[in-house]
Amino acid sequence: MFRKKDTGESRQLLDGINLTTLVHGDKTLMGRFKIAKGSAIPTHSHPHEQTGIMISGKLRFIVDGEIKDVEAGDSWCLPGGVEHSAEALEDTVVIEVFSPVREDYLP
């Protein structure tokens, strides 16, 4: 699968949080998240491994009760099943890959 820039459809997941699914295959899905300053992703867990890189902005993750502040250029990998949340300290753009594919993020 190939996708040209700016051709994916964006959808709002939560207030101030938008996802564009960029590409996906049988085992992985990659998405771009635009998160407005002050927006929050509540504590949750899922079976998918979640690997990401911060393109711009700043997020505060809470992973298994531990605070992790990330900024442009930082990256992470969260194993499936781990509770986590995030709050945007600035307007933020993140690219994340999920394995296996998150069915709920398919276009």
Side-chain angles (χ1 to χ4, degrees), residues 36-39 57-60 69-70 87-92:
K37 180 180 179 179
S39 297
K58 189 171 186 177
L59 280 179
R60 172 164 291 150
D69 287 342
V70 295
E87 177 187 358
L89 304 177
E90 300 175 1
D91 286 343
T92 297

Side-chain angles (χ1 to χ4, degrees), residues 40-53:
I41 300 167
T43 302
H44 67 285
S45 67
H46 45 74
H48 312 85
E49 185 174 75
Q50 178 176 342
T51 303
I53 185 166

Side-chain angles (χ1 to χ4, degrees), residues 1-92:
M1 170 181 269
F2 289 83
R3 184 177 305 269
K4 290 293 209 176
K5 67 180 178 177
D6 301 326
T7 61
E9 290 186 30
S10 178
R11 63 183 162 131
Q12 185 172 333
L13 296 179
L14 296 167
D15 190 34
I17 302 170
N18 291 290
L19 163 66
T20 302
T21 297
L22 300 172
V23 292
H24 59 87
D26 292 333
K27 298 179 183 175
T28 61
L29 177 142
M30 182 168 58
R32 179 179 59 232
F33 294 84
K34 292 184 177 180
I35 307 169
K37 180 180 179 179
S39 297
I41 300 167
T43 302
H44 67 285
S45 67
H46 45 74
H48 312 85
E49 185 174 75
Q50 178 176 342
T51 303
I53 185 166
M54 176 77 60
I55 303 302
S56 63
K58 189 171 186 177
L59 280 179
R60 172 164 291 150
F61 279 102
I62 300 178
V63 180
D64 247 357
E66 189 174 337
I67 294 173
K68 301 284 188 183
D69 287 342
V70 295
E71 55 190 27
D74 292 349
S75 55
W76 55 90
C77 184
L78 305 178
V82 172
E83 284 198 345
H84 58 286
S85 63
E87 177 187 358
L89 304 177
E90 300 175 1
D91 286 343
T92 297

